[in-house]
Amino acid sequence: MKKGFYNILKANFLISNDAVKNWRFIVFCTLLAIVMIASSHSAERKVHEIARLNNEVRELRSEFVDRRSALMRIKMESTIINKLSGTGIQPSETPPYKIKVNSKK
């Protein structure tokens, strides 16, 4: 047991006669680790991008609600009357008429 432990510490498995198999396995494990690290970085980048886009969607939705409420206030009849009061334009006293057209077939 002691001898096997010392052989591992001295790295005899890398310089022995059948070391080519060991080197292949080490290179394979190294390449696999590099691929795993790259994949992890890619996934993390996508998570950050999704979080940024979610924040942007929230901001745009908030801006949309603000603009819609401002538009509703501007379209109100009282707002229009107040803005046109200085020009002398007044709302009509009589309501509009509905015109019905009877077509002969």
Side-chain angles (χ1 to χ4, degrees):
M1 178 104 174
K2 245 183 183 179
K3 186 176 182 183
F5 184 69
Y6 285 130
N7 283 338
I8 291 174
L9 287 178
K10 290 179 183 179
N12 283 341
F13 63 94
L14 295 177
I15 56 174
S16 64
N17 292 337
D18 58 347
V20 175
K21 292 187 290 183
N22 295 334
W23 277 106
R24 279 193 225 153
F25 183 72
I26 290 172
V27 169
F28 173 73
C29 287
T30 304
L31 290 175
L32 195 61
I34 290 171
V35 169
M36 286 176 54
I37 291 170
S39 175
S40 172
H41 284 298
S42 175
E44 193 69 26
R45 193 176 314 118
K46 288 177 185 176
V47 166
H48 286 295
E49 180 72 13
I50 288 170
R52 185 186 64 78
L53 289 174
N54 281 335
N55 287 338
E56 187 176 344
V57 165
R58 241 183 272 122
E59 289 174 8
L60 290 174
R61 189 173 290 133
S62 173
E63 183 180 347
F64 166 73
V65 169
D66 289 343
R67 300 283 172 116
R68 184 175 57 185
S69 63
L71 177 64
M72 292 303 284
R73 273 187 259 113
I74 290 171
K75 285 172 43 177
M76 289 172 50
E77 185 178 358
S78 60
T79 307
I80 294 173
I81 290 171
N82 288 338
K83 287 193 181 219
L84 293 178
S85 64
T87 62
I89 298 175
Q90 304 262 332
S92 177
E93 298 294 326
T94 58
Y97 295 107
K98 272 191 177 178
I99 300 174
K100 292 184 180 178
V101 177
N102 296 327
S103 60
K104 295 180 183 178
K105 291 185 179 180

